[in-house]
Amino acid sequence: MQFLLAFVVVAPLLGAVAALLPAPPGLKGRNPDQAVLRHGVTVTGVILVAALVLALGFDHDHPSKMQATTDISWIPALDVRIHLGIDGISLPLLVLTALLTFLCALYSYFKMPAGPSSKAFVALILVLESGTLATFAVLDLLLFFLAFEMVLVPMYFLIARWGGAQKQAAAWKFILYTLLGSVVMLLGLLLIGLKSGTFDMVALATDNGRGLSSSVQVIAVLAIGIGLAVKTPMWPLHSWLPDAHTAAPTVGSVLLAGVMLKMGTYGFVRILLPIAPDGMHTFAPYLAAFAVAGIIYGSLACLALARPGAKGDLKRLIAYSSVGHMGFVLLGIASMTPTGVNGALFANIAHGLITGLLFFLVGAVKDRYGTADLDTLAGATGAALYGRAPRLGGLLAFAAVASLGLPGLAGFWGEMLALFGAFDPAEGLNRAAFLTFMSIAAFGTLLTAAYLLVVVRRVCMGAQREEPHAIADVQSYEFAAWTPLAALTVLAGLWPAVLLGLTDPAVQKLLAGGKS
């Protein structure tokens, strides 16, 4: 098991190199494009199997313990190490990343987005997977930064080369926002490493900020928090997200929403909460305030896009919904309690499953109708998916009610636990303020239900033409790509202990300063 995690992180890079060879080794197809797409499915499938083996071999009796560790000296002068490991916090995110990347590769094999070379497309997907997996596996601050930045270049090219309208502008906005945030974040990481004398995240978490003065912690949380907040994205640093999602190809949107947004909130939990607790305590009320502002703003933006006559793009609407959903994650983190942080981690996984499914479905609707404009879908075209493509319409309605937090589905537990965390925040935080934040966030759940039900009514139950043009219902490859996400959404909703049993001991240890 020791080297299996290293294999999971490094193998996609090797697969990316192989994809750029004249012919991917060992694979054949009717043409070179099919062969390289089959290579992508094979490599991501192997990574998924390895991640599942890692999960099965994980010591579930001790999820707070770092497992499958690798610790090799890399830059001795700075004490930078290639230090890898997983615990109950990072394991679910690792498996989610492997699953979504495999499903995207499978989907692309049958529905390759229009654009240049298939070789470059597969290579970029694999580099993106490696960077995301590394982000959740590394235990060194500088290595975390490198992995955190590694995903930017492949996502930029996926948007700029395989995206839709306004793809160049959206890609530049994405890269500029995230790079500027990362520059500030690097300064904060260097400050922590130089002041504490180590970049080792495990040692720093165990020290629990005792080696850093309060002023250093405050500065570090501000600097690192800005970089993480851009990637999350937190209101008002979110404006790159709707444009990126609207322009990105379907699989780009799935990976962006499903795993890349989780890198920011993971950084808050893995780095800032245990390493700079005094700084987090200072900024927690402000983080909560921005979180609930994002919940309300995202919901109101979605309502505005969903109303008739607004010319709202359905992909853009789902992107704005992510701003609101990630607001619940940030609210749970800001409470600095085991309940809130567990809720944030649960909501992270739920959002990856549900919003990943939503972007798959919206991409399918756009492919069939040639547009994602809500007015066109509900008006002139007359979508009425329940009548034309009942399985597609049913899946879209299912994903929508899961996203609004229907009890019994995955979206419910994370938001509820985040609200409970805000109801009784950590000692020293202003409870009256957090009760206010909780009330505002609870109102946001009503707004979320409102806009998602409007979308279902307009798209699935829209006006039907007397002689509607025929559209295809769910195809076999779509069924294969979407069923795991729908099934896991139900499983996590009915059996939340699957996730909470992993995260809770690790969160308890993290908040206690690494003490078992």
Side-chain angles (χ1 to χ4, degrees):
M1 296 295 290
Q2 180 181 1
F3 299 105
L4 188 57
L5 179 60
F7 170 80
V8 167
V9 171
V10 174
L13 283 180
L14 301 177
V17 173
L20 296 175
L21 296 176
L27 292 174
K28 296 181 179 180
R30 291 191 300 271
N31 53 62
D33 285 343
Q34 188 189 55
V36 76
L37 289 171
R38 186 174 294 174
H39 170 75
V41 175
T42 302
V43 174
T44 56
V46 169
I47 300 303
L48 175 59
V49 170
L52 292 175
V53 171
L54 198 62
L56 291 173
F58 187 80
D59 184 356
H60 292 262
D61 293 328
H62 301 91
S64 62
K65 176 185 176 183
M66 283 296 171
Q67 302 178 34
T69 56
T70 299
D71 192 0
I72 304 170
S73 179
W74 184 33
I75 307 176
L78 296 176
D79 193 29
V80 177
R81 310 183 68 82
I82 299 177
H83 192 185
L84 307 177
I86 53 169
D87 62 0
I89 293 172
S90 50
L91 178 62
L93 290 166
L94 197 83
V95 175
L96 175 67
T97 300
L99 173 64
L100 283 177
T101 310
F102 169 71
L103 296 181
C104 285
L106 180 65
Y107 187 85
S108 299
Y109 178 76
F110 295 96
K111 190 69 177 180
M112 172 69 188
S117 166
S118 298
K119 288 179 175 290
F121 177 82
V122 171
L124 290 170
I125 290 289
L126 293 173
V127 172
L128 179 63
E129 179 180 30
S130 180
T132 309
L133 291 169
T135 301
F136 300 136
V138 297
L139 298 173
D140 182 276
L141 288 179
L142 291 186
L143 209 58
F144 174 86
F145 176 78
L146 293 176
F148 196 84
E149 297 305 292
M150 181 178 170
V151 302
L152 301 185
V153 173
M155 182 53 71
Y156 166 81
F157 282 109
L158 285 174
I159 297 172
R161 294 291 179 265
W162 287 269
Q166 304 297 317
K167 59 186 179 183
Q168 291 291 343
W172 274 111
K173 195 171 185 179
F174 161 76
I175 200 76
L176 289 175
Y177 263 76
T178 49
L179 278 179
L180 289 174
S182 297
V183 169
V184 182
M185 184 177 77
L186 177 60
L187 296 176
L189 295 173
L190 290 174
L191 177 64
I192 288 178
L194 295 176
K195 287 293 184 179
S196 63
T198 181
F199 290 96
D200 187 275
M201 291 160 65
V202 176
L204 288 166
T206 303
D207 188 62
N208 201 218
R210 286 182 288 271
L212 301 171
S213 66
S214 294
S215 58
V216 168
Q217 290 190 39
V218 168
I219 295 171
V221 169
L222 179 61
I224 298 171
I226 288 173
L228 297 175
V230 171
K231 188 69 72 75
T232 297
M234 180 186 77
W235 179 91
L237 303 175
H238 68 284
S239 60
W240 61 270
L241 184 70
D243 292 338
H245 271 307
T246 304
T250 296
V251 295
S253 291
V254 171
L255 293 175
L256 181 57
V259 295
M260 279 188 64
L261 301 190
K262 313 303 175 285
M263 295 164 64
T265 52
Y266 174 78
F268 276 103
V269 175
R270 177 64 72 196
I271 298 173
L272 295 185
L273 277 177
I275 295 176
D278 292 344
M280 274 297 293
H281 194 278
T282 299
F283 282 106
Y286 303 102
L287 180 63
F290 283 123
V292 297
I295 292 170
I296 299 301
Y297 173 83
S299 299
L300 291 177
C302 290
L303 275 173
L305 290 170
R307 77 182 196 279
K311 291 292 180 183
D313 186 278
L314 193 51
K315 286 188 72 176
R316 194 174 189 85
L317 186 148
I318 302 302
Y320 272 112
S321 77
S322 291
V323 177
H325 288 305
M326 299 311 289
F328 281 99
V329 176
L330 291 173
L331 178 62
I333 294 170
S335 74
M336 298 185 68
T337 63
T339 300
V341 176
N342 276 303
L345 294 171
F346 197 103
N348 256 346
I349 300 299
H351 179 266
L353 295 172
I354 297 167
T355 308
L357 178 58
L358 275 171
F359 275 117
F360 268 134
L361 294 166
V362 172
V365 170
K366 186 174 182 178
D367 288 339
R368 286 159 170 78
Y369 287 102
T371 181
D373 180 74
L374 266 171
D375 284 343
T376 304
L377 291 174
T381 306
L385 282 178
Y386 286 159
R388 296 186 180 191
R391 289 188 290 275
L392 181 59
L395 274 172
L396 183 60
F398 166 82
V401 296
S403 184
L404 63 82
L406 184 73
L409 298 176
F412 171 74
W413 295 105
E415 295 184 2
M416 185 194 71
L417 291 173
L419 293 175
F420 281 172
F423 178 78
D424 189 16
E427 184 179 353
L429 295 177
N430 189 322
R431 189 174 184 226
F434 272 83
L435 285 174
T436 303
F437 297 146
M438 182 201 73
S439 301
I440 297 172
F443 177 67
T445 62
L446 301 179
L447 296 177
T448 302
Y451 71 74
L452 285 169
L453 291 176
V454 168
V455 167
V456 171
R457 179 180 60 82
R458 297 191 68 199
V459 176
C460 297
M461 299 181 286
Q464 182 88 34
R465 283 181 173 178
E466 292 183 4
E467 296 181 1
H469 66 270
I471 64 167
D473 208 341
V474 178
Q475 304 296 297
S476 57
Y477 71 92
E478 294 172 326
F479 184 80
W482 302 342
T483 299
L485 300 179
L488 289 172
T489 298
V490 175
L491 176 63
L494 296 178
W495 194 12
V498 172
L499 276 177
L500 295 176
L502 282 173
T503 62
D504 185 53
V507 168
Q508 296 279 358
K509 180 178 179 180
L510 209 66
L511 294 178
K515 300 173 184 176
S516 299

